Amino acid sequence: MQILEQITIFSRASLFHLCRLEIQPSIVLTNDWFGGFASAWKKLKSFGDYFDATKFYHIIHNLGEEYQGRIYLDPHESVEFYSMEIEIPSELIYDDNWNDKILNPSRCALLCSDHWGTVSKSYKKEILESSDLLYLLKKFEDPFAYPNGIRSADLFPIFEALPSHDVQKKELISKFFEIELSESELAESILFGFIGRISFQKGVKLIIDVIEPILKITNNKSFFIIAGPIDNSEYSIECSTRLKELMKAYPKNVWADPDVFFNEGKKLQLGSDFMLIPSLYEPGGLVQHESFFAGTPVISFKTGGLKDSVHEWNSSTLEGNGFLFESHVKESLQDAFVKAINVFGKPSKYKILRDNASKSYIDLKQEGQAWRGELHRILGK
């Protein structure tokens, strides 16, 4: 079984390499399911006493069913056979209370690691309330959580080489819609951008559902650039078909090319008036922070790390960096669009909204300092 071999080789080779280099780390971090077996071999003393003083810490980026690394066996296949192949007892990778035969490296990591953490406080709360591995997560006291950060030092030169928001917006509209707007026309037109996979998780169908109503509300003075490839799922293919239909019906307002990878993401993040992140679930997320770095407010679903970093605009206090919708349905997203459109129509307030956004990204240095503190806590230092 190829995927089981890959997981096994990756983790064992990493530990074996440490032995060969005579490095005895104080702590080893395993990220998600692909490193899920490493802590088991420490616990089982597969490398003798070499890692006895090493702590193993598991970082959860996503614990949804499809992100646990589940390996589904056929009814006739033997759990014990694969257990012997990888030299890990079956009870560490298999739960006989489950209806299906599933080898689960995430289960293994949680049973054998010294602690775990994740990528946002809200996502930690979510999985501690609803994960199917809840009984394992709760055996640890006070798990750590901190939002993902972006490497701003790398982004500064990229965005410095780009023009202003207005100029970039005009260039994008000219390139993708072949329209040359005057300054007054540009000021009245709204550019909505999306960057990500055309997938169920990313909630692209909701954007598709609201495009026509929003075009009507804005009297066709809005543009949508949906930048991302399909993943060949039924959901993705349906979205691709509908996007192509919308492009045909509104060639001057809607652009997407789901068959290719979009390579102008930073230009879109800068030139958009609002970035769209309607993800059904998003444990941490980086697109919102990259957008904030570009000074662009975000419209997002109120979930996971998004609700930790996207804060609702308040016209009275002039606080906030975007707009959140609470129900993952067309009507709720459309309401958020309307709020955004109303603020866009008030240039002085929209400028403050962009200023707020530009100050609200999380830098990788902040994230690194937070994790350093957590690792010192685990090591008792």
Side-chain angles (χ1 to χ4, degrees), residues 20-143:
R20 286 198 63 182
L21 294 176
E22 298 183 358
I23 296 173
Q24 288 184 292
S26 54
I27 192 162
V28 168
L29 306 182
T30 55
N31 287 275
D32 279 338
W33 59 273
F34 206 73
F37 291 160
S39 55
W41 288 312
K42 177 255 174 112
K43 187 172 185 175
L44 297 167
K45 289 187 174 289
S46 299
F47 294 84
D49 60 2
Y50 195 83
F51 293 104
D52 279 4
T54 301
K55 298 284 189 182
F56 277 72
Y57 193 104
H58 191 60
I59 301 178
I60 296 170
H61 296 268
N62 197 325
L63 204 60
E65 288 185 12
E66 64 270 44
Y67 294 97
Q68 292 177 16
R70 293 181 176 193
I71 300 170
Y72 291 82
L73 303 183
D74 292 331
H76 66 275
E77 291 186 287
S78 167
V79 172
E80 287 70 25
F81 170 79
Y82 290 111
S83 171
M84 291 175 62
E85 284 284 296
I86 61 176
E87 299 179 8
I88 294 178
S90 60
E91 62 268 20
L92 296 181
I93 55 175
Y94 172 70
D95 186 340
D96 57 13
N97 291 314
W98 288 6
N99 294 327
D100 297 316
K101 279 188 177 180
I102 300 171
L103 307 183
N104 193 328
S106 292
R107 168 185 169 83
C108 183
L110 290 171
L111 281 170
C112 299
S113 296
D114 294 288
H115 220 304
W116 67 270
T118 189
V119 292
S120 75
K121 292 180 180 179
S122 289
Y123 190 61
K124 181 182 83 169
K125 185 174 183 292
E126 285 180 20
I127 59 177
L128 283 172
E129 291 175 349
S130 60
S131 173
D132 53 4
L133 295 177
L134 179 63
Y135 61 104
L136 298 178
L137 296 169
K138 284 199 168 183
K139 75 185 185 75
F140 298 89
E141 289 187 14
D142 194 23

Side-chain angles (χ1 to χ4, degrees), residues 1-258:
M1 187 180 296
Q2 188 176 23
I3 188 62
L4 188 61
E5 289 177 356
Q6 289 175 349
I7 301 171
T8 303
I9 292 170
F10 176 78
S11 294
R12 286 193 78 112
S14 299
L15 298 179
F16 181 70
H17 196 55
L18 290 171
C19 295
R20 286 198 63 182
L21 294 176
E22 298 183 358
I23 296 173
Q24 288 184 292
S26 54
I27 192 162
V28 168
L29 306 182
T30 55
N31 287 275
D32 279 338
W33 59 273
F34 206 73
F37 291 160
S39 55
W41 288 312
K42 177 255 174 112
K43 187 172 185 175
L44 297 167
K45 289 187 174 289
S46 299
F47 294 84
D49 60 2
Y50 195 83
F51 293 104
D52 279 4
T54 301
K55 298 284 189 182
F56 277 72
Y57 193 104
H58 191 60
I59 301 178
I60 296 170
H61 296 268
N62 197 325
L63 204 60
E65 288 185 12
E66 64 270 44
Y67 294 97
Q68 292 177 16
R70 293 181 176 193
I71 300 170
Y72 291 82
L73 303 183
D74 292 331
H76 66 275
E77 291 186 287
S78 167
V79 172
E80 287 70 25
F81 170 79
Y82 290 111
S83 171
M84 291 175 62
E85 284 284 296
I86 61 176
E87 299 179 8
I88 294 178
S90 60
E91 62 268 20
L92 296 181
I93 55 175
Y94 172 70
D95 186 340
D96 57 13
N97 291 314
W98 288 6
N99 294 327
D100 297 316
K101 279 188 177 180
I102 300 171
L103 307 183
N104 193 328
S106 292
R107 168 185 169 83
C108 183
L110 290 171
L111 281 170
C112 299
S113 296
D114 294 288
H115 220 304
W116 67 270
T118 189
V119 292
S120 75
K121 292 180 180 179
S122 289
Y123 190 61
K124 181 182 83 169
K125 185 174 183 292
E126 285 180 20
I127 59 177
L128 283 172
E129 291 175 349
S130 60
S131 173
D132 53 4
L133 295 177
L134 179 63
Y135 61 104
L136 298 178
L137 296 169
K138 284 199 168 183
K139 75 185 185 75
F140 298 89
E141 289 187 14
D142 194 23
F144 181 73
Y146 197 84
N148 290 332
I150 56 173
R151 198 181 295 273
S152 61
D154 291 345
L155 292 178
F156 273 117
I158 295 174
F159 282 101
E160 280 185 353
L162 296 176
S164 67
H165 160 66
D166 287 340
V167 172
Q168 187 64 74
K169 173 182 172 180
K170 185 174 183 178
E171 289 180 1
L172 288 169
I173 292 172
S174 174
K175 177 176 180 178
F176 291 102
F177 302 104
E178 299 181 352
I179 299 174
E180 298 299 331
L181 297 178
S182 66
E183 286 191 17
S184 61
E185 289 173 329
L186 188 70
E188 293 176 350
S189 301
I190 310 179
L191 176 57
F192 297 102
F194 167 86
I195 299 173
R197 300 186 316 278
I198 309 297
S199 67
F200 176 74
Q201 179 200 347
K202 299 301 181 182
V204 181
K205 194 179 290 185
L206 279 190
I207 300 176
I208 295 170
D209 287 341
V210 302
I211 285 178
E212 289 187 301
I214 296 305
L215 288 176
K216 186 175 181 180
I217 290 171
T218 60
N219 196 26
N220 284 340
K221 292 181 180 179
S222 53
F223 301 90
F224 291 82
I225 296 179
I226 313 300
I230 60 173
D231 63 9
N232 292 319
S233 66
E234 184 178 337
Y235 177 97
S236 187
I237 292 170
E238 180 188 343
C239 286
S240 175
T241 300
R242 291 184 62 192
L243 282 169
K244 290 173 181 176
E245 290 171 351
L246 284 167
M247 287 175 63
K248 187 175 181 180
Y250 305 98
K252 299 298 184 182
N253 301 92
V254 181
W255 183 92
D257 193 348

